[in-house]
Amino acid sequence: MRDRIPEPWLKFLRDVDRTLQEAVEIHCLGGFVLSVLWGLPRPTGDVDFIEVRPQTAGEALLHVAGEGTDLAKKHHLHLQHVTVAEYPEGYEDRLIDITPAGFRRLRLRALEVHDVVLAKLSRNSPRDRADVEYLARKGVLDRRRLEERFEAELRPHLLNEKRERLTLELWLDEFFGEQQ
């Protein structure tokens, strides 16, 4: 798992690690995570993250590797802090360490696949639906786990519960059929 980050991502992230002045942990999601952990073939130009620790490191991290920085220009990749996202309350207990061996300061932790899918509900773009379809066909999603996690950890915190529930039901019916 720890050696699965492909190029050009690995070179970019190594450069980020070398540039940081302190230990930084980021909680990643999105296309980068789906590519690294589940082989999603769709290319992506950013590493989306929802949390940075310590919080005070966020500005420095984006100054080093955010969009438009020297590292971003060099590698044609960048880090992106996702500030508007809805994800399951207990996601931290399921984070997957994808930090490559040899990194000294940058720690990469990825959301578990069901948490990534639930974080895609509110946007529900064609790309998001294609990603969920890919994961369902690959057999890495469990319908019941998605439903249970939605109810217990996401629904109580949603701003538009009806819309997100409808999106989940549509995805479940489309990608898993009508079985219960």
Side-chain angles (χ1 to χ4, degrees), residues 34 38 112-118 120 128-147 149 168 171-172 175-176 179:
L34 296 181
W38 295 285
E112 186 269 344
V113 68
H114 296 87
D115 294 333
V116 172
V117 168
L118 290 173
K120 290 176 167 288
D128 293 324
R129 287 191 304 279
D131 291 350
V132 176
E133 180 178 20
Y134 170 83
L135 294 167
R137 287 182 185 211
K138 192 165 178 77
V140 298
L141 294 176
D142 178 87
R143 178 187 180 118
R144 180 169 288 160
R145 186 172 296 158
L146 278 169
E147 292 173 310
R149 201 168 289 169
L168 179 62
W171 286 3
L172 292 173
F175 304 130
F176 293 94
Q179 85 268 9

PDB file of all heavy atoms in Angstrom, residues 34 38 112-118 120 128-147 149 168 171-172 175-176 179:
ATOM      1  N   LEU A  34      -8.782   7.642  -5.217  1.00  0.00           N
ATOM      2  CA  LEU A  34      -9.389   6.554  -5.979  1.00  0.00           C
ATOM      3  C   LEU A  34      -8.387   5.943  -6.960  1.00  0.00           C
ATOM      4  O   LEU A  34      -8.404   4.731  -7.191  1.00  0.00           O
ATOM      5  CB  LEU A  34     -10.632   7.048  -6.713  1.00  0.00           C
ATOM      6  CG  LEU A  34     -11.770   7.524  -5.807  1.00  0.00           C
ATOM      7  CD1 LEU A  34     -12.958   7.974  -6.634  1.00  0.00           C
ATOM      8  CD2 LEU A  34     -12.182   6.463  -4.805  1.00  0.00           C
ATOM      9  N   TRP A  38      -7.619   2.330  -5.571  1.00  0.00           N
ATOM     10  CA  TRP A  38      -8.550   1.449  -6.271  1.00  0.00           C
ATOM     11  C   TRP A  38      -8.381   1.464  -7.786  1.00  0.00           C
ATOM     12  O   TRP A  38      -9.231   0.969  -8.510  1.00  0.00           O
ATOM     13  CB  TRP A  38      -9.983   1.772  -5.847  1.00  0.00           C
ATOM     14  CG  TRP A  38     -10.159   1.462  -4.393  1.00  0.00           C
ATOM     15  CD1 TRP A  38     -10.270   0.216  -3.824  1.00  0.00           C
ATOM     16  CD2 TRP A  38     -10.163   2.390  -3.313  1.00  0.00           C
ATOM     17  NE1 TRP A  38     -10.344   0.320  -2.464  1.00  0.00           N
ATOM     18  CE2 TRP A  38     -10.284   1.653  -2.114  1.00  0.00           C
ATOM     19  CE3 TRP A  38     -10.069   3.759  -3.222  1.00  0.00           C
ATOM     20  CZ2 TRP A  38     -10.320   2.243  -0.862  1.00  0.00           C
ATOM     21  CZ3 TRP A  38     -10.102   4.353  -1.979  1.00  0.00           C
ATOM     22  CH2 TRP A  38     -10.229   3.589  -0.816  1.00  0.00           C
ATOM     23  N   GLU A 112     -11.416   6.129   3.491  1.00  0.00           N
ATOM     24  CA  GLU A 112     -11.845   4.789   3.085  1.00  0.00           C
ATOM     25  C   GLU A 112     -12.861   4.945   1.950  1.00  0.00           C
ATOM     26  O   GLU A 112     -13.529   5.970   1.842  1.00  0.00           O
ATOM     27  CB  GLU A 112     -12.456   4.095   4.318  1.00  0.00           C
ATOM     28  CG  GLU A 112     -12.819   2.654   4.132  1.00  0.00           C
ATOM     29  CD  GLU A 112     -14.242   2.460   3.653  1.00  0.00           C
ATOM     30  OE1 GLU A 112     -15.062   3.399   3.746  1.00  0.00           O
ATOM     31  OE2 GLU A 112     -14.525   1.363   3.161  1.00  0.00           O
ATOM     32  N   VAL A 113     -12.980   3.944   1.089  1.00  0.00           N
ATOM     33  CA  VAL A 113     -13.742   4.057  -0.152  1.00  0.00           C
ATOM     34  C   VAL A 113     -15.203   4.480   0.070  1.00  0.00           C
ATOM     35  O   VAL A 113     -15.729   5.312  -0.669  1.00  0.00           O
ATOM     36  CB  VAL A 113     -13.651   2.754  -0.986  1.00  0.00           C
ATOM     37  CG1 VAL A 113     -14.361   1.594  -0.312  1.00  0.00           C
ATOM     38  CG2 VAL A 113     -14.156   2.978  -2.396  1.00  0.00           C
ATOM     39  N   HIS A 114     -15.878   3.949   1.074  1.00  0.00           N
ATOM     40  CA  HIS A 114     -17.273   4.328   1.319  1.00  0.00           C
ATOM     41  C   HIS A 114     -17.376   5.793   1.749  1.00  0.00           C
ATOM     42  O   HIS A 114     -18.325   6.491   1.391  1.00  0.00           O
ATOM     43  CB  HIS A 114     -17.908   3.397   2.351  1.00  0.00           C
ATOM     44  CG  HIS A 114     -17.985   1.990   1.878  1.00  0.00           C
ATOM     45  ND1 HIS A 114     -16.947   1.104   2.053  1.00  0.00           N
ATOM     46  CD2 HIS A 114     -18.956   1.318   1.219  1.00  0.00           C
ATOM     47  CE1 HIS A 114     -17.283  -0.061   1.518  1.00  0.00           C
ATOM     48  NE2 HIS A 114     -18.496   0.042   0.994  1.00  0.00           N
ATOM     49  N   ASP A 115     -16.381   6.262   2.505  1.00  0.00           N
ATOM     50  CA  ASP A 115     -16.359   7.661   2.930  1.00  0.00           C
ATOM     51  C   ASP A 115     -16.122   8.588   1.737  1.00  0.00           C
ATOM     52  O   ASP A 115     -16.711   9.664   1.643  1.00  0.00           O
ATOM     53  CB  ASP A 115     -15.291   7.874   4.000  1.00  0.00           C
ATOM     54  CG  ASP A 115     -15.617   7.138   5.290  1.00  0.00           C
ATOM     55  OD1 ASP A 115     -16.814   6.907   5.568  1.00  0.00           O
ATOM     56  OD2 ASP A 115     -14.673   6.794   6.025  1.00  0.00           O
ATOM     57  N   VAL A 116     -15.255   8.167   0.809  1.00  0.00           N
ATOM     58  CA  VAL A 116     -15.024   8.957  -0.403  1.00  0.00           C
ATOM     59  C   VAL A 116     -16.328   9.079  -1.194  1.00  0.00           C
ATOM     60  O   VAL A 116     -16.695  10.163  -1.645  1.00  0.00           O
ATOM     61  CB  VAL A 116     -13.916   8.339  -1.290  1.00  0.00           C
ATOM     62  CG1 VAL A 116     -13.831   9.059  -2.626  1.00  0.00           C
ATOM     63  CG2 VAL A 116     -12.570   8.381  -0.584  1.00  0.00           C
ATOM     64  N   VAL A 117     -17.031   7.979  -1.347  1.00  0.00           N
ATOM     65  CA  VAL A 117     -18.290   7.989  -2.106  1.00  0.00           C
ATOM     66  C   VAL A 117     -19.313   8.899  -1.433  1.00  0.00           C
ATOM     67  O   VAL A 117     -19.959   9.717  -2.098  1.00  0.00           O
ATOM     68  CB  VAL A 117     -18.844   6.555  -2.265  1.00  0.00           C
ATOM     69  CG1 VAL A 117     -20.279   6.576  -2.777  1.00  0.00           C
ATOM     70  CG2 VAL A 117     -17.948   5.766  -3.217  1.00  0.00           C
ATOM     71  N   LEU A 118     -19.452   8.800  -0.130  1.00  0.00           N
ATOM     72  CA  LEU A 118     -20.423   9.644   0.568  1.00  0.00           C
ATOM     73  C   LEU A 118     -20.048  11.124   0.463  1.00  0.00           C
ATOM     74  O   LEU A 118     -20.930  11.984   0.413  1.00  0.00           O
ATOM     75  CB  LEU A 118     -20.566   9.197   2.014  1.00  0.00           C
ATOM     76  CG  LEU A 118     -21.261   7.842   2.188  1.00  0.00           C
ATOM     77  CD1 LEU A 118     -21.207   7.390   3.648  1.00  0.00           C
ATOM     78  CD2 LEU A 118     -22.702   7.874   1.682  1.00  0.00           C
ATOM     79  N   LYS A 120     -18.940  12.485  -2.099  1.00  0.00           N
ATOM     80  CA  LYS A 120     -19.283  12.893  -3.459  1.00  0.00           C
ATOM     81  C   LYS A 120     -20.781  13.169  -3.630  1.00  0.00           C
ATOM     82  O   LYS A 120     -21.191  13.719  -4.645  1.00  0.00           O
ATOM     83  CB  LYS A 120     -18.856  11.815  -4.462  1.00  0.00           C
ATOM     84  CG  LYS A 120     -17.352  11.697  -4.628  1.00  0.00           C
ATOM     85  CD  LYS A 120     -17.012  10.566  -5.557  1.00  0.00           C
ATOM     86  CE  LYS A 120     -15.568  10.624  -5.997  1.00  0.00           C
ATOM     87  NZ  LYS A 120     -15.282  11.701  -6.945  1.00  0.00           N
ATOM     88  N   ASP A 128     -18.451  12.369 -10.684  1.00  0.00           N
ATOM     89  CA  ASP A 128     -18.678  11.661  -9.421  1.00  0.00           C
ATOM     90  C   ASP A 128     -19.460  10.371  -9.658  1.00  0.00           C
ATOM     91  O   ASP A 128     -19.116   9.314  -9.118  1.00  0.00           O
ATOM     92  CB  ASP A 128     -19.432  12.553  -8.423  1.00  0.00           C
ATOM     93  CG  ASP A 128     -18.612  13.740  -7.975  1.00  0.00           C
ATOM     94  OD1 ASP A 128     -17.385  13.600  -7.818  1.00  0.00           O
ATOM     95  OD2 ASP A 128     -19.200  14.820  -7.788  1.00  0.00           O
ATOM     96  N   ARG A 129     -20.512  10.463 -10.466  1.00  0.00           N
ATOM     97  CA  ARG A 129     -21.308   9.266 -10.759  1.00  0.00           C
ATOM     98  C   ARG A 129     -20.463   8.219 -11.484  1.00  0.00           C
ATOM     99  O   ARG A 129     -20.568   7.031 -11.201  1.00  0.00           O
ATOM    100  CB  ARG A 129     -22.552   9.631 -11.567  1.00  0.00           C
ATOM    101  CG  ARG A 129     -23.609  10.339 -10.717  1.00  0.00           C
ATOM    102  CD  ARG A 129     -24.940  10.476 -11.435  1.00  0.00           C
ATOM    103  NE  ARG A 129     -24.849  11.162 -12.715  1.00  0.00           N
ATOM    104  CZ  ARG A 129     -24.801  12.484 -12.883  1.00  0.00           C
ATOM    105  NH1 ARG A 129     -24.832  13.273 -11.832  1.00  0.00           N
ATOM    106  NH2 ARG A 129     -24.725  13.008 -14.085  1.00  0.00           N
ATOM    107  N   ALA A 130     -19.619   8.659 -12.405  1.00  0.00           N
ATOM    108  CA  ALA A 130     -18.740   7.721 -13.114  1.00  0.00           C
ATOM    109  C   ALA A 130     -17.761   7.057 -12.150  1.00  0.00           C
ATOM    110  O   ALA A 130     -17.478   5.856 -12.264  1.00  0.00           O
ATOM    111  CB  ALA A 130     -17.986   8.442 -14.232  1.00  0.00           C
ATOM    112  N   ASP A 131     -17.255   7.820 -11.190  1.00  0.00           N
ATOM    113  CA  ASP A 131     -16.344   7.251 -10.190  1.00  0.00           C
ATOM    114  C   ASP A 131     -17.052   6.193  -9.342  1.00  0.00           C
ATOM    115  O   ASP A 131     -16.502   5.114  -9.087  1.00  0.00           O
ATOM    116  CB  ASP A 131     -15.794   8.342  -9.268  1.00  0.00           C
ATOM    117  CG  ASP A 131     -14.834   9.297  -9.965  1.00  0.00           C
ATOM    118  OD1 ASP A 131     -14.441   9.027 -11.118  1.00  0.00           O
ATOM    119  OD2 ASP A 131     -14.487  10.317  -9.340  1.00  0.00           O
ATOM    120  N   VAL A 132     -18.272   6.494  -8.914  1.00  0.00           N
ATOM    121  CA  VAL A 132     -19.033   5.540  -8.097  1.00  0.00           C
ATOM    122  C   VAL A 132     -19.363   4.295  -8.911  1.00  0.00           C
ATOM    123  O   VAL A 132     -19.253   3.171  -8.414  1.00  0.00           O
ATOM    124  CB  VAL A 132     -20.307   6.199  -7.521  1.00  0.00           C
ATOM    125  CG1 VAL A 132     -21.143   5.177  -6.759  1.00  0.00           C
ATOM    126  CG2 VAL A 132     -19.930   7.369  -6.599  1.00  0.00           C
ATOM    127  N   GLU A 133     -19.736   4.487 -10.158  1.00  0.00           N
ATOM    128  CA  GLU A 133     -20.010   3.331 -11.016  1.00  0.00           C
ATOM    129  C   GLU A 133     -18.760   2.457 -11.152  1.00  0.00           C
ATOM    130  O   GLU A 133     -18.836   1.224 -11.075  1.00  0.00           O
ATOM    131  CB  GLU A 133     -20.483   3.784 -12.394  1.00  0.00           C
ATOM    132  CG  GLU A 133     -20.770   2.620 -13.328  1.00  0.00           C
ATOM    133  CD  GLU A 133     -21.279   3.059 -14.684  1.00  0.00           C
ATOM    134  OE1 GLU A 133     -21.078   4.235 -15.069  1.00  0.00           O
ATOM    135  OE2 GLU A 133     -21.880   2.215 -15.376  1.00  0.00           O
ATOM    136  N   TYR A 134     -17.612   3.068 -11.362  1.00  0.00           N
ATOM    137  CA  TYR A 134     -16.352   2.327 -11.469  1.00  0.00           C
ATOM    138  C   TYR A 134     -16.112   1.500 -10.196  1.00  0.00           C
ATOM    139  O   TYR A 134     -15.773   0.320 -10.270  1.00  0.00           O
ATOM    140  CB  TYR A 134     -15.194   3.307 -11.708  1.00  0.00           C
ATOM    141  CG  TYR A 134     -13.844   2.655 -11.590  1.00  0.00           C
ATOM    142  CD1 TYR A 134     -13.286   1.966 -12.664  1.00  0.00           C
ATOM    143  CD2 TYR A 134     -13.120   2.722 -10.403  1.00  0.00           C
ATOM    144  CE1 TYR A 134     -12.054   1.360 -12.556  1.00  0.00           C
ATOM    145  CE2 TYR A 134     -11.888   2.120 -10.286  1.00  0.00           C
ATOM    146  CZ  TYR A 134     -11.352   1.433 -11.362  1.00  0.00           C
ATOM    147  OH  TYR A 134     -10.132   0.824 -11.243  1.00  0.00           O
ATOM    148  N   LEU A 135     -16.277   2.118  -9.048  1.00  0.00           N
ATOM    149  CA  LEU A 135     -16.034   1.424  -7.780  1.00  0.00           C
ATOM    150  C   LEU A 135     -17.027   0.288  -7.562  1.00  0.00           C
ATOM    151  O   LEU A 135     -16.664  -0.782  -7.069  1.00  0.00           O
ATOM    152  CB  LEU A 135     -16.095   2.422  -6.620  1.00  0.00           C
ATOM    153  CG  LEU A 135     -14.992   3.481  -6.622  1.00  0.00           C
ATOM    154  CD1 LEU A 135     -15.326   4.589  -5.628  1.00  0.00           C
ATOM    155  CD2 LEU A 135     -13.633   2.863  -6.332  1.00  0.00           C
ATOM    156  N   ALA A 136     -18.285   0.512  -7.934  1.00  0.00           N
ATOM    157  CA  ALA A 136     -19.299  -0.533  -7.788  1.00  0.00           C
ATOM    158  C   ALA A 136     -18.975  -1.715  -8.701  1.00  0.00           C
ATOM    159  O   ALA A 136     -19.032  -2.874  -8.270  1.00  0.00           O
ATOM    160  CB  ALA A 136     -20.685   0.023  -8.094  1.00  0.00           C
ATOM    161  N   ARG A 137     -18.614  -1.433  -9.934  1.00  0.00           N
ATOM    162  CA  ARG A 137     -18.268  -2.514 -10.870  1.00  0.00           C
ATOM    163  C   ARG A 137     -17.015  -3.262 -10.427  1.00  0.00           C
ATOM    164  O   ARG A 137     -16.887  -4.451 -10.671  1.00  0.00           O
ATOM    165  CB  ARG A 137     -18.071  -1.960 -12.277  1.00  0.00           C
ATOM    166  CG  ARG A 137     -19.374  -1.578 -12.922  1.00  0.00           C
ATOM    167  CD  ARG A 137     -19.165  -1.087 -14.321  1.00  0.00           C
ATOM    168  NE  ARG A 137     -20.435  -0.624 -14.851  1.00  0.00           N
ATOM    169  CZ  ARG A 137     -20.757  -0.695 -16.114  1.00  0.00           C
ATOM    170  NH1 ARG A 137     -19.919  -1.195 -16.992  1.00  0.00           N
ATOM    171  NH2 ARG A 137     -21.928  -0.253 -16.515  1.00  0.00           N
ATOM    172  N   LYS A 138     -16.105  -2.552  -9.799  1.00  0.00           N
ATOM    173  CA  LYS A 138     -14.872  -3.164  -9.303  1.00  0.00           C
ATOM    174  C   LYS A 138     -15.157  -4.053  -8.089  1.00  0.00           C
ATOM    175  O   LYS A 138     -14.342  -4.890  -7.737  1.00  0.00           O
ATOM    176  CB  LYS A 138     -13.861  -2.072  -8.966  1.00  0.00           C
ATOM    177  CG  LYS A 138     -12.462  -2.570  -8.710  1.00  0.00           C
ATOM    178  CD  LYS A 138     -11.488  -1.423  -8.750  1.00  0.00           C
ATOM    179  CE  LYS A 138     -10.094  -1.876  -8.460  1.00  0.00           C
ATOM    180  NZ  LYS A 138      -9.441  -2.535  -9.566  1.00  0.00           N
ATOM    181  N   GLY A 139     -16.311  -3.860  -7.466  1.00  0.00           N
ATOM    182  CA  GLY A 139     -16.695  -4.693  -6.333  1.00  0.00           C
ATOM    183  C   GLY A 139     -16.131  -4.263  -4.994  1.00  0.00           C
ATOM    184  O   GLY A 139     -16.088  -5.054  -4.051  1.00  0.00           O
ATOM    185  N   VAL A 140     -15.728  -2.995  -4.882  1.00  0.00           N
ATOM    186  CA  VAL A 140     -15.137  -2.536  -3.620  1.00  0.00           C
ATOM    187  C   VAL A 140     -16.137  -1.794  -2.729  1.00  0.00           C
ATOM    188  O   VAL A 140     -15.781  -1.388  -1.626  1.00  0.00           O
ATOM    189  CB  VAL A 140     -13.889  -1.655  -3.857  1.00  0.00           C
ATOM    190  CG1 VAL A 140     -12.796  -2.447  -4.560  1.00  0.00           C
ATOM    191  CG2 VAL A 140     -14.221  -0.399  -4.640  1.00  0.00           C
ATOM    192  N   LEU A 141     -17.374  -1.663  -3.198  1.00  0.00           N
ATOM    193  CA  LEU A 141     -18.406  -0.989  -2.405  1.00  0.00           C
ATOM    194  C   LEU A 141     -19.420  -1.995  -1.892  1.00  0.00           C
ATOM    195  O   LEU A 141     -19.786  -2.930  -2.589  1.00  0.00           O
ATOM    196  CB  LEU A 141     -19.134   0.063  -3.252  1.00  0.00           C
ATOM    197  CG  LEU A 141     -18.317   1.255  -3.707  1.00  0.00           C
ATOM    198  CD1 LEU A 141     -19.157   2.155  -4.604  1.00  0.00           C
ATOM    199  CD2 LEU A 141     -17.783   2.035  -2.523  1.00  0.00           C
ATOM    200  N   ASP A 142     -19.879  -1.749  -0.700  1.00  0.00           N
ATOM    201  CA  ASP A 142     -20.921  -2.558  -0.092  1.00  0.00           C
ATOM    202  C   ASP A 142     -22.156  -1.668   0.103  1.00  0.00           C
ATOM    203  O   ASP A 142     -22.088  -0.662   0.812  1.00  0.00           O
ATOM    204  CB  ASP A 142     -20.432  -3.106   1.253  1.00  0.00           C
ATOM    205  CG  ASP A 142     -21.477  -3.919   1.956  1.00  0.00           C
ATOM    206  OD1 ASP A 142     -21.564  -5.133   1.694  1.00  0.00           O
ATOM    207  OD2 ASP A 142     -22.218  -3.345   2.782  1.00  0.00           O
ATOM    208  N   ARG A 143     -23.231  -2.047  -0.541  1.00  0.00           N
ATOM    209  CA  ARG A 143     -24.462  -1.244  -0.503  1.00  0.00           C
ATOM    210  C   ARG A 143     -24.920  -0.989   0.938  1.00  0.00           C
ATOM    211  O   ARG A 143     -25.213   0.146   1.317  1.00  0.00           O
ATOM    212  CB  ARG A 143     -25.557  -1.966  -1.283  1.00  0.00           C
ATOM    213  CG  ARG A 143     -26.875  -1.230  -1.265  1.00  0.00           C
ATOM    214  CD  ARG A 143     -28.008  -2.031  -1.890  1.00  0.00           C
ATOM    215  NE  ARG A 143     -29.224  -1.268  -1.825  1.00  0.00           N
ATOM    216  CZ  ARG A 143     -29.905  -0.856  -2.875  1.00  0.00           C
ATOM    217  NH1 ARG A 143     -29.499  -1.155  -4.088  1.00  0.00           N
ATOM    218  NH2 ARG A 143     -31.001  -0.141  -2.721  1.00  0.00           N
ATOM    219  N   ARG A 144     -24.971  -2.023   1.730  1.00  0.00           N
ATOM    220  CA  ARG A 144     -25.451  -1.886   3.119  1.00  0.00           C
ATOM    221  C   ARG A 144     -24.554  -0.944   3.922  1.00  0.00           C
ATOM    222  O   ARG A 144     -25.032  -0.116   4.683  1.00  0.00           O
ATOM    223  CB  ARG A 144     -25.537  -3.252   3.788  1.00  0.00           C
ATOM    224  CG  ARG A 144     -26.043  -3.138   5.228  1.00  0.00           C
ATOM    225  CD  ARG A 144     -26.383  -4.461   5.802  1.00  0.00           C
ATOM    226  NE  ARG A 144     -27.611  -4.899   5.146  1.00  0.00           N
ATOM    227  CZ  ARG A 144     -28.028  -6.143   5.106  1.00  0.00           C
ATOM    228  NH1 ARG A 144     -27.329  -7.091   5.682  1.00  0.00           N
ATOM    229  NH2 ARG A 144     -29.151  -6.450   4.507  1.00  0.00           N
ATOM    230  N   ARG A 145     -23.255  -1.061   3.726  1.00  0.00           N
ATOM    231  CA  ARG A 145     -22.333  -0.185   4.462  1.00  0.00           C
ATOM    232  C   ARG A 145     -22.552   1.272   4.074  1.00  0.00           C
ATOM    233  O   ARG A 145     -22.537   2.154   4.922  1.00  0.00           O
ATOM    234  CB  ARG A 145     -20.886  -0.587   4.201  1.00  0.00           C
ATOM    235  CG  ARG A 145     -19.904   0.206   5.051  1.00  0.00           C
ATOM    236  CD  ARG A 145     -18.499  -0.315   4.941  1.00  0.00           C
ATOM    237  NE  ARG A 145     -18.460  -1.664   5.476  1.00  0.00           N
ATOM    238  CZ  ARG A 145     -17.535  -2.553   5.163  1.00  0.00           C
ATOM    239  NH1 ARG A 145     -16.569  -2.237   4.328  1.00  0.00           N
ATOM    240  NH2 ARG A 145     -17.556  -3.755   5.683  1.00  0.00           N
ATOM    241  N   LEU A 146     -22.774   1.535   2.786  1.00  0.00           N
ATOM    242  CA  LEU A 146     -23.060   2.906   2.346  1.00  0.00           C
ATOM    243  C   LEU A 146     -24.329   3.430   3.021  1.00  0.00           C
ATOM    244  O   LEU A 146     -24.347   4.555   3.527  1.00  0.00           O
ATOM    245  CB  LEU A 146     -23.216   2.965   0.832  1.00  0.00           C
ATOM    246  CG  LEU A 146     -21.945   3.033   0.005  1.00  0.00           C
ATOM    247  CD1 LEU A 146     -22.259   2.825  -1.474  1.00  0.00           C
ATOM    248  CD2 LEU A 146     -21.227   4.357   0.217  1.00  0.00           C
ATOM    249  N   GLU A 147     -25.377   2.627   3.010  1.00  0.00           N
ATOM    250  CA  GLU A 147     -26.647   3.047   3.610  1.00  0.00           C
ATOM    251  C   GLU A 147     -26.496   3.288   5.112  1.00  0.00           C
ATOM    252  O   GLU A 147     -26.974   4.307   5.635  1.00  0.00           O
ATOM    253  CB  GLU A 147     -27.717   1.993   3.351  1.00  0.00           C
ATOM    254  CG  GLU A 147     -28.115   1.893   1.889  1.00  0.00           C
ATOM    255  CD  GLU A 147     -29.043   0.727   1.603  1.00  0.00           C
ATOM    256  OE1 GLU A 147     -28.735  -0.414   2.014  1.00  0.00           O
ATOM    257  OE2 GLU A 147     -30.080   0.978   0.954  1.00  0.00           O
ATOM    258  N   ARG A 149     -23.750   3.884   6.909  1.00  0.00           N
ATOM    259  CA  ARG A 149     -22.872   5.010   7.214  1.00  0.00           C
ATOM    260  C   ARG A 149     -23.556   6.331   6.895  1.00  0.00           C
ATOM    261  O   ARG A 149     -23.402   7.311   7.616  1.00  0.00           O
ATOM    262  CB  ARG A 149     -21.566   4.866   6.445  1.00  0.00           C
ATOM    263  CG  ARG A 149     -20.451   5.669   7.086  1.00  0.00           C
ATOM    264  CD  ARG A 149     -19.108   5.327   6.540  1.00  0.00           C
ATOM    265  NE  ARG A 149     -18.681   4.006   6.962  1.00  0.00           N
ATOM    266  CZ  ARG A 149     -17.629   3.362   6.452  1.00  0.00           C
ATOM    267  NH1 ARG A 149     -16.908   3.930   5.512  1.00  0.00           N
ATOM    268  NH2 ARG A 149     -17.303   2.171   6.882  1.00  0.00           N
ATOM    269  N   LEU A 168     -28.253   9.357  -3.089  1.00  0.00           N
ATOM    270  CA  LEU A 168     -27.768   8.046  -2.657  1.00  0.00           C
ATOM    271  C   LEU A 168     -28.688   6.944  -3.169  1.00  0.00           C
ATOM    272  O   LEU A 168     -28.217   5.924  -3.695  1.00  0.00           O
ATOM    273  CB  LEU A 168     -27.650   7.974  -1.134  1.00  0.00           C
ATOM    274  CG  LEU A 168     -27.176   6.621  -0.586  1.00  0.00           C
ATOM    275  CD1 LEU A 168     -25.776   6.293  -1.083  1.00  0.00           C
ATOM    276  CD2 LEU A 168     -27.239   6.618   0.936  1.00  0.00           C
ATOM    277  N   TRP A 171     -28.094   6.405  -6.866  1.00  0.00           N
ATOM    278  CA  TRP A 171     -26.825   5.709  -7.091  1.00  0.00           C
ATOM    279  C   TRP A 171     -26.939   4.237  -6.722  1.00  0.00           C
ATOM    280  O   TRP A 171     -26.460   3.366  -7.456  1.00  0.00           O
ATOM    281  CB  TRP A 171     -25.709   6.346  -6.281  1.00  0.00           C
ATOM    282  CG  TRP A 171     -25.214   7.667  -6.794  1.00  0.00           C
ATOM    283  CD1 TRP A 171     -25.692   8.370  -7.864  1.00  0.00           C
ATOM    284  CD2 TRP A 171     -24.157   8.434  -6.245  1.00  0.00           C
ATOM    285  NE1 TRP A 171     -24.982   9.534  -8.003  1.00  0.00           N
ATOM    286  CE2 TRP A 171     -24.041   9.606  -7.033  1.00  0.00           C
ATOM    287  CE3 TRP A 171     -23.307   8.269  -5.167  1.00  0.00           C
ATOM    288  CZ2 TRP A 171     -23.078  10.583  -6.769  1.00  0.00           C
ATOM    289  CZ3 TRP A 171     -22.353   9.235  -4.908  1.00  0.00           C
ATOM    290  CH2 TRP A 171     -22.238  10.380  -5.702  1.00  0.00           C
ATOM    291  N   LEU A 172     -27.571   3.953  -5.600  1.00  0.00           N
ATOM    292  CA  LEU A 172     -27.706   2.552  -5.169  1.00  0.00           C
ATOM    293  C   LEU A 172     -28.514   1.753  -6.167  1.00  0.00           C
ATOM    294  O   LEU A 172     -28.147   0.634  -6.535  1.00  0.00           O
ATOM    295  CB  LEU A 172     -28.335   2.485  -3.772  1.00  0.00           C
ATOM    296  CG  LEU A 172     -27.466   3.022  -2.634  1.00  0.00           C
ATOM    297  CD1 LEU A 172     -28.266   3.068  -1.333  1.00  0.00           C
ATOM    298  CD2 LEU A 172     -26.175   2.237  -2.455  1.00  0.00           C
ATOM    299  N   PHE A 175     -26.381   1.490  -9.548  1.00  0.00           N
ATOM    300  CA  PHE A 175     -25.131   0.732  -9.534  1.00  0.00           C
ATOM    301  C   PHE A 175     -25.210  -0.610  -8.804  1.00  0.00           C
ATOM    302  O   PHE A 175     -24.317  -1.442  -8.956  1.00  0.00           O
ATOM    303  CB  PHE A 175     -24.017   1.580  -8.942  1.00  0.00           C
ATOM    304  CG  PHE A 175     -23.841   2.895  -9.653  1.00  0.00           C
ATOM    305  CD1 PHE A 175     -23.781   4.085  -8.960  1.00  0.00           C
ATOM    306  CD2 PHE A 175     -23.770   2.949 -11.039  1.00  0.00           C
ATOM    307  CE1 PHE A 175     -23.637   5.296  -9.616  1.00  0.00           C
ATOM    308  CE2 PHE A 175     -23.631   4.159 -11.708  1.00  0.00           C
ATOM    309  CZ  PHE A 175     -23.558   5.332 -10.992  1.00  0.00           C
ATOM    310  N   PHE A 176     -26.271  -0.827  -8.026  1.00  0.00           N
ATOM    311  CA  PHE A 176     -26.413  -2.081  -7.295  1.00  0.00           C
ATOM    312  C   PHE A 176     -27.720  -2.789  -7.624  1.00  0.00           C
ATOM    313  O   PHE A 176     -27.980  -3.855  -7.093  1.00  0.00           O
ATOM    314  CB  PHE A 176     -26.352  -1.836  -5.780  1.00  0.00           C
ATOM    315  CG  PHE A 176     -25.025  -1.373  -5.307  1.00  0.00           C
ATOM    316  CD1 PHE A 176     -24.750  -0.029  -5.179  1.00  0.00           C
ATOM    317  CD2 PHE A 176     -24.029  -2.279  -4.984  1.00  0.00           C
ATOM    318  CE1 PHE A 176     -23.519   0.423  -4.734  1.00  0.00           C
ATOM    319  CE2 PHE A 176     -22.788  -1.851  -4.532  1.00  0.00           C
ATOM    320  CZ  PHE A 176     -22.536  -0.496  -4.418  1.00  0.00           C
ATOM    321  N   GLN A 179     -31.884  -4.626  -5.307  1.00  0.00           N
ATOM    322  CA  GLN A 179     -31.826  -5.551  -4.164  1.00  0.00           C
ATOM    323  C   GLN A 179     -31.662  -4.793  -2.856  1.00  0.00           C
ATOM    324  O   GLN A 179     -31.105  -3.732  -2.816  1.00  0.00           O
ATOM    325  CB  GLN A 179     -30.699  -6.580  -4.348  1.00  0.00           C
ATOM    326  CG  GLN A 179     -29.325  -6.115  -3.887  1.00  0.00           C
ATOM    327  CD  GLN A 179     -28.482  -5.463  -4.981  1.00  0.00           C
ATOM    328  OE1 GLN A 179     -28.954  -5.186  -6.082  1.00  0.00           O
ATOM    329  NE2 GLN A 179     -27.252  -5.211  -4.684  1.00  0.00           N
TER     330      GLN A 179
END
